[in-house]
Amino acid sequence: MMITESQNIEFKESWRDEYQKWICGFANAQGGMLYIGLRDNGEVCGVQDTKKLMEDIPNKVRDMMGILVDVNLKEKNGKQYLEIVTEAYPYPVSFRGKYYQRSGATNQELKGAALDRFMLSKQGKTWDGVPVPYLKAEYLDNATFDLFRKYAKRSGRMEEADLMDDNHGLLEKLRLYEGSYLKRAAALLFHPDPEQYVTGAFVKVGFFREGMDLVYQDEVHGNLFQQIVKLMDLLCTKYMKAVITYEGIHRIETLPIPREALREALLNACINKDYAEPSPIQIRVYENKLEIINGGVLPEGWTVETLLSSHRSMPYNPDIANTFFRAGEIEAWGRGIERIIMACKNDGFSTPEFRYDASGIWTTFKFEYPERATTQSDQKTTQKTTQKTTQKAIQNLTEQQQAILSFLKGHPEATRKEISESLSGITEDGVKYNLSRLQELGLLKRIGGRKQGYWQIIE
């Protein structure tokens, strides 16, 4: 049976000391075999001085790289060749001060971000878990801590006593300290300007016409919690057009992609971006589609098919993922792609496309609208009728109902308890009744579920 070059096999016609690069590459990957005396097609051409090479090669490898290899003598059709067997090593192996790694059927020198990823993985660390000198808890943003506490309290994934702790204690509970130093994840999650510590930690958004002509663009800065809020608002109000339809007197805004799927895709991109790469996440919006390009790296051996099938959780930035999980922003590790697909299917949209290449992970949503959308003329007629009905309903509101509407304009994600605590003279049961009444009048609509949803005021 003829063997061929692969991830674990390499052929060379003769021995040269520089071929120790390939041995280094095997040691830093999954191990492998280097054959001396074989042509690229696997044909045996033979090699001379096999006895001397069997003594020299192991000694040179040991002296240059500090590892051991087995050298076996093989023979075919009367011609001798050598098999050099290299095991995978749990620590980084270098050859003449450089690091190589086998990838597919090629041997690559590791540099820059790729070398950083490799060194961290060999140490059992992740990029977001690296400590940051000079970063202190008092430099972080109090408003973002308050937002996190609100989210985490609502999700129920942290003890209330822990949420009442100060910022330093909360960071410890979230495992965002490495010894006495804060991790990179803390800067990205809670610092008002994480770009002081991480280049490219922002998002670029652009609207393009056909032919790749850029019409307008925005940049979204701030920590990751702030970025998600800003991006959802920017994309849903400026970059995508909503179709307005009516069911009775209820006004319905339908975006060309589901809000829940878009939010999940944005979270997925922020959590799994390779922040060692200086380029930001890009979002390209066209007349008929939206693309999210995240410079992320899949675990070794993973493909898009792995993401689309049932798989174990391996977030690229686990400390960032854990914090978003505690906040209730993501439901479960390892189900991000599944949740995007399900959100689209549940709302009657087609499945987005996923792609992985040298530039990163691509998520592409095709724009479409449900068949229930009415024509523009029908909308205008219905809108006039609805405006008259709405104006009449507003005139008959109680003071409590008016106060609730006013409060929800600035706090659409507020819970019944938060509304009751913020408005004097109204109990939580009273809030429940009035919210129900406002919905019956067509002045208020609940978007999303109890934990992740928000109130939409019908103007």
Side-chain angles (χ1 to χ4, degrees):
M1 180 178 178
M2 179 176 289
I3 56 176
T4 59
E5 289 186 327
S6 65
Q7 168 78 24
N8 307 102
I9 296 173
E10 177 72 24
F11 301 147
K12 298 295 179 185
E13 293 186 18
S14 60
W15 171 257
R16 296 180 184 174
D17 286 350
E18 67 185 68
Y19 292 159
Q20 291 180 79
K21 293 178 185 177
W22 275 261
I23 294 174
C24 178
F26 285 133
N28 285 328
Q30 302 167 9
M33 292 173 285
L34 175 62
Y35 289 93
I36 308 299
L38 270 67
R39 296 189 174 92
D40 288 343
N41 61 4
E43 179 185 348
V44 177
C45 59
V47 67
Q48 303 297 318
D49 299 325
T50 53
K51 184 177 180 180
K52 184 174 187 301
L53 288 173
M54 291 179 71
E55 294 178 358
D56 288 350
I57 291 174
N59 291 333
K60 289 180 178 180
V61 171
R62 181 197 60 209
D63 293 343
M64 291 296 294
M65 291 182 279
I67 64 174
L68 302 176
V69 295
D70 291 330
V71 182
N72 304 314
L73 180 63
K74 301 285 185 177
E75 185 174 335
K76 184 176 181 181
N77 300 330
K79 298 178 180 179
Q80 292 184 330
Y81 64 99
L82 298 177
E83 177 189 68
I84 305 172
V85 181
T86 307
E87 298 292 332
Y89 274 73
Y91 55 82
V93 176
S94 66
F95 174 65
R96 292 176 178 166
K98 296 181 179 180
Y99 294 87
Y100 300 88
Q101 189 176 47
R102 188 72 171 181
S103 177
T106 63
N107 200 53
Q108 299 179 357
E109 181 184 350
L110 298 172
K111 298 179 179 178
L115 180 57
D116 289 342
R117 287 195 297 268
F118 167 74
M119 298 297 284
L120 287 170
S121 66
K122 287 294 183 180
Q123 298 166 18
K125 296 182 179 295
T126 57
W127 182 92
D128 66 335
V130 173
V132 181
Y134 311 117
L135 177 62
K136 298 180 180 179
E138 52 263 37
Y139 299 166
L140 305 183
D141 183 52
N142 287 324
T144 306
F145 278 112
D146 292 342
L147 182 65
F148 172 82
R149 288 184 174 94
K150 175 184 174 182
Y151 287 169
K153 182 178 180 180
R154 186 170 59 192
S155 74
R157 291 175 182 165
M158 290 192 72
E159 296 291 336
E160 290 203 23
D162 292 340
L163 295 176
M164 294 174 65
D165 207 343
D166 62 13
N167 293 347
H168 172 78
L170 185 58
L171 290 165
E172 287 186 328
K173 297 296 190 305
L174 291 170
R175 306 288 191 269
L176 293 179
Y177 274 101
E178 179 71 27
S180 59
Y181 293 103
L182 283 168
K183 298 179 179 179
R184 285 169 171 165
L188 284 168
L189 289 162
F190 293 107
H191 197 279
D193 183 17
E195 291 169 65
Q196 292 183 25
Y197 304 91
V198 183
T199 303
F202 65 98
V203 181
K204 291 185 70 173
V205 186
F207 185 84
F208 296 83
R209 300 286 186 196
E210 288 193 18
M212 291 294 290
D213 293 328
L214 178 64
V215 182
Y216 52 85
Q217 63 180 332
D218 290 279
E219 290 185 357
V220 175
H221 299 269
N223 59 55
L224 298 186
F225 282 106
Q226 294 169 345
Q227 285 184 23
I228 296 298
V229 173
K230 293 176 184 176
L231 282 169
M232 285 297 294
D233 180 63
L234 186 67
L235 292 170
C236 294
T237 58
K238 180 177 179 180
Y239 281 84
M240 294 189 295
K241 296 177 182 178
V243 169
I244 310 301
T245 58
Y246 292 86
E247 292 182 1
I249 64 170
H250 297 289
R251 182 176 187 266
I252 300 173
E253 292 186 4
T254 304
L255 290 171
I257 58 178
R259 286 177 182 269
E260 184 182 346
L262 175 61
R263 185 180 183 83
E264 194 74 34
L266 294 174
L267 285 163
N268 200 49
C270 288
I271 291 169
N272 292 295
K273 182 189 185 310
D274 178 10
Y275 288 97
E277 294 285 353
S279 58
I281 294 172
Q282 291 188 22
I283 301 177
R284 302 176 185 176
V285 185
Y286 302 83
E287 292 284 357
N288 61 348
K289 65 180 179 179
L290 180 148
E291 296 177 335
I292 302 174
I293 305 101
N294 161 33
V297 180
L298 292 179
E300 188 174 347
W302 282 34
T303 63
V304 169
E305 286 68 32
T306 311
L307 293 176
L308 295 176
S309 60
S310 179
H311 59 274
R312 63 194 179 99
S313 170
M314 290 188 67
Y316 188 78
N317 297 298
D319 287 319
I320 293 175
N322 176 59
T323 302
F324 273 113
F325 177 76
R326 300 298 169 195
E329 291 293 270
I330 57 176
E331 285 303 307
W333 293 4
R335 294 188 58 226
I337 300 296
E338 179 185 346
R339 286 176 54 79
I340 294 171
I341 294 172
M342 289 306 299
C344 290
K345 288 183 176 179
N346 290 341
D347 285 357
F349 290 81
S350 59
T351 301
E353 297 177 1
F354 302 94
R355 188 170 93 239
Y356 180 53
D357 57 27
S359 61
I361 304 169
W362 293 60
T363 304
T364 302
F365 292 93
K366 296 291 180 63
F367 287 171
E368 52 189 312
Y369 295 93
E371 294 181 359
R372 68 173 182 268
T374 61
T375 63
Q376 190 65 30
S377 59
D378 289 340
Q379 292 174 24
K380 289 180 179 179
T381 302
T382 309
Q383 187 173 8
K384 289 179 181 178
T385 304
T386 304
Q387 286 175 346
K388 292 179 181 178
T389 307
T390 301
Q391 288 170 1
K392 184 176 180 181
I394 290 175
Q395 291 173 358
N396 295 324
L397 292 182
T398 65
E399 290 185 5
Q400 287 186 345
Q401 290 166 352
Q402 291 176 1
I404 290 173
L405 280 180
S406 178
F407 180 75
L408 289 178
K409 282 184 179 180
H411 308 84
E413 296 180 346
T415 63
R416 292 199 298 262
K417 184 177 180 182
E418 289 168 342
I419 297 171
S420 175
E421 292 174 347
S422 301
L423 302 177
S424 60
I426 182 168
T427 65
E428 195 170 336
D429 286 339
V431 171
K432 181 180 179 181
Y433 167 78
N434 284 296
L435 288 174
S436 178
R437 181 60 182 151
L438 289 168
Q439 291 180 83
E440 291 173 2
L441 293 170
L443 300 175
L444 194 63
K445 182 181 178 183
R446 183 67 181 177
I447 306 295
R450 183 173 63 85
K451 289 187 177 181
Q452 298 295 322
Y454 63 95
W455 293 104
Q456 181 185 71
I457 296 174
I458 310 301
E459 300 292 347

